[in-house]
Every structure is written in structure tokens, then in C-alpha cells.
Amino acid sequence: MNDTGRSRSSTLESAIIDVPRPADFDEFWAESLRLLDTVDARPSLRHLPERSTERVDVYELHYSGFHGVRIAAWCTMPAGRTGPLPTVVHIPGYISEPSIMKSWSERGYLTVALAPRGKLRSNDLVNPGYPGLLTADITDRFTYAYRGFYLDVIRALDVVAELEQVDAERIGVWGSSQGGGLGIVAAALRPNIVRAFAAGAPYLCGIMESARLTHSYPYEEINEFLRVHPEAEAEATETAAYYDGMNFAPAVRAPSLVYLGLEDDVCPPETGFAVYRELGGVKELHTYPRCAHDAGLRWVIPKVEAFLDGHLKQAAERDGVNA
């Protein structure tokens, strides 16, 4: 990193992002998880030979999330291996649809790429749209659209941990932007399942401050909402605090890798540094001075792979014996 990069990183790293923690934050999420537990997950796994290859078997996974909404996911496994396998759960970005992660299964992983409510294959009952998700019912923490979305991710972890092909002691999470922010939430709410996670350019961290720091979408949705409904700012701010990664981060105990682009105009890097400071557990940070919301993806992918391999693969697999 050159002097300019070091100077900018130092300025961003020292920024103060203040997110008040609601007094009943833990109780709210404990009750949310209790309500989720009342829903029968009804998981189903269907092999898709038309999408499979000689090296990778592809499946479509379905399960029931919060309020019984049916959720879809892609699942891949190394062909011919029945497990138990190390597993990576991938959470998509805000406007992204889940990809079929065949390359990870070629490296020995079972993968699950989620399509939480609102995504194309999970939008029959809930479809706030993009833009739209960030501000849908944002004045009420109980009906806010992200409540179900967050719980869809948590339910996925519960379902994955029960799959017979999965080694429940070797489950990791990876995602960027929305996927990065939700990785923090997942590690905080399911510490018994998430063994490690990698989070790029984490979204939903310092939510209201981000809307002031940038005028790019999705955060611009908040600015637009408040221009029309200025009287709702206090309620929106209160609701956002229940969903802010800054308030989940201290509960994280899993090892984490965070990567940021210092020119990110979508998820302000100030918020990435701030949530990294709050993370519990062993952690490492990678920053890329001339990168925007991609957060240095071209260069960081090998680091993500090595990080998750180190925590999720057994020694023989890391050495290539059973790859």
C-alpha cells in the first residue's frame, strides 16, 4: 500500500460509527428464533442431472423459513462422495441471485447458495422488490422485511447442519455486501453451527450512517423514503438498530476474514472498519486502496479459499490427499 493508500485507510479506520443498541435487542432476536422454531422446515433435496457434471452433482434444496415461506437454494456436492463433507453456505448480495458453486465442490466442498425471500425462486409470497427490500415496513421492527430474510438464512444453517452429507462440525459462511453483513448475523445467532466466515464489503452495518455517507443504492432507498416520510425518521432509525451488523458483531466468536475496498461508494468503508473492530473472535482484515464495491475480489479470492480451507478442511484434504 502506498502512502496515499495508508493515509486514506487510516482516516477511514478511525471513523466513529455510532449505532445505539436497543435495550431489548437480545430478547427480540431470542423471540424471533423461538417463532422460527415453531415452523416445520420440511426440507427437500432434488437432484438435477441436467445441471450436474462428471465432477459435481447439483441439487435444488427447498425449506420453509419464517412464517412458513418456502425458500430455495442451490446445493452442490463432489460427485461420488457421500460425506461427511466440509460445507460452505453462500449468501447473495442485495440484487444478486445465487450462483451454482461448482468450483467449490470440485475442491471438495458441499455448497449451499441461498435465495432468501424476495429472490426469484423464493418470491411467491414475499416480493418487496429491488429497490424496495431495505425500506419495506422499516418503521416496525416486527414486520420489517429483513426480519424474515435474516431468519431465512438462520433456518438454512439449521437445515444444512442436519443433511446427512454434511459434517456439522465444518460449516462455514461466505458472502459479500449483503452476504457479508448476513454472515456476521449468522455467526452471532448460530455460534454452534458457524465455524468460520468470510465477509466482503459488509452491508447492513451502520445502516443509518451509511445513508448519510453515500447516495448510492441500496442505502439511497432510505434517503428517498425519508424525503417522502420525514416524520418516520425516528421509527426507521429504531428499527434499523435491531438489524444492524454493528449490534450483532460483539456476539461473534467464529474466526472471520473481512475484506474492504477503500473506494467503495455502496457500502462505505468507514462502516466496514467499524464493524470489524466490534467483531469478537480471531479475525483478519484485508483492504484494497483502489477498489470499490468489489472489495478486491480478484486478489482476495485465494485468501478466502485458504482461510476457509484452514478452518473447515481436515489436514489430509488441505494437503490434497482427498481433494
Side-chain angles (χ1 to χ4, degrees):
M1 186 183 299
N2 59 28
D3 289 339
T4 301
R6 281 194 294 269
S7 175
R8 176 161 174 75
S9 176
S10 176
T11 301
L12 298 172
E13 187 174 1
S14 63
I16 302 300
I17 306 296
D18 183 26
V19 181
R21 194 174 195 270
D24 64 342
F25 180 86
D26 291 333
E27 290 79 5
F28 174 80
W29 284 105
E31 176 63 9
S32 297
L33 295 174
R34 187 194 68 78
L35 292 173
L36 179 65
D37 287 343
T38 66
V39 177
D40 184 356
R42 298 189 299 115
S44 66
L45 194 64
R46 183 171 67 93
H47 185 231
L48 302 175
E50 70 277 12
R51 294 186 179 272
S52 301
T53 68
E54 291 183 357
R55 300 180 64 180
V56 177
D57 285 323
V58 178
Y59 299 79
E60 189 167 42
L61 173 67
H62 286 91
Y63 61 90
S64 295
F66 192 52
H67 289 158
V69 175
R70 204 70 179 152
I71 304 301
W74 298 119
C75 178
T76 67
M77 307 179 199
R81 290 184 62 184
T82 57
L85 295 165
T87 297
V88 171
V89 176
H90 187 259
I91 306 169
Y94 190 74
I95 62 172
S96 302
E97 292 295 326
S99 57
I100 301 176
M101 298 173 62
K102 293 180 182 179
S103 63
W104 280 77
S105 285
E106 290 177 350
R107 299 178 55 246
Y109 285 94
L110 183 149
T111 78
V112 175
L114 303 180
R117 64 190 60 206
K119 296 298 181 183
L120 288 177
R121 292 177 301 127
S122 305
N123 63 3
D124 288 349
L125 297 178
V126 180
N127 188 14
Y130 301 92
L133 173 62
L134 181 57
T135 54
D137 286 334
I138 195 172
T139 57
D140 186 336
R141 66 183 180 275
F142 295 102
T143 60
Y144 186 35
Y146 260 123
R147 189 185 193 194
F149 197 101
Y150 281 30
L151 293 173
D152 289 343
V153 173
I154 300 305
R155 172 49 58 88
L157 292 170
D158 297 338
V159 168
V160 168
E162 294 296 322
L163 292 178
E164 62 181 3
Q165 301 91 341
V166 168
D167 184 341
E169 298 298 317
R170 297 192 288 160
I171 298 174
V173 174
W174 172 44
S176 190
S177 193
Q178 180 176 256
L182 268 291
I184 294 170
V185 174
L189 295 182
R190 282 293 185 258
N192 58 320
I193 293 179
V194 178
R195 302 300 177 183
F197 70 95
Y203 173 57
L204 300 165
C205 298
I207 295 172
M208 300 305 288
E209 186 64 23
S210 293
R212 290 185 278 270
L213 288 169
T214 182
H215 290 283
S216 295
Y217 288 92
Y219 285 122
E220 184 63 11
E221 290 181 37
I222 291 177
N223 295 324
E224 290 182 342
F225 174 81
L226 293 179
R227 279 194 285 271
V228 177
H229 304 285
E231 75 287 352
E233 183 171 3
E235 291 176 319
T237 299
E238 180 183 16
T239 296
Y242 286 89
Y243 295 86
D244 201 300
M246 293 286 290
N247 287 330
F248 287 97
V252 170
R253 294 295 176 265
S256 59
L257 180 151
V258 177
Y259 51 102
L260 309 172
L262 300 187
E263 304 298 331
D264 192 343
D265 66 337
V266 176
C267 294
E270 295 95 324
T271 64
F273 281 112
V275 77
Y276 178 79
R277 289 196 301 268
E278 296 298 318
L279 284 173
V282 177
K283 55 191 177 181
E284 60 180 89
L285 176 66
H286 299 274
T287 61
Y288 296 89
R290 289 173 292 279
C291 293
H293 196 51
D294 66 295
L297 192 63
R298 174 181 174 184
W299 297 277
V300 81
I301 282 294
K303 294 181 174 68
V304 170
E305 293 175 344
F307 170 78
L308 291 175
D309 286 353
H311 290 285
L312 304 180
K313 282 193 171 184
Q314 295 172 345
E317 290 175 295
R318 291 196 299 269
D319 293 340
V321 176
N322 294 320

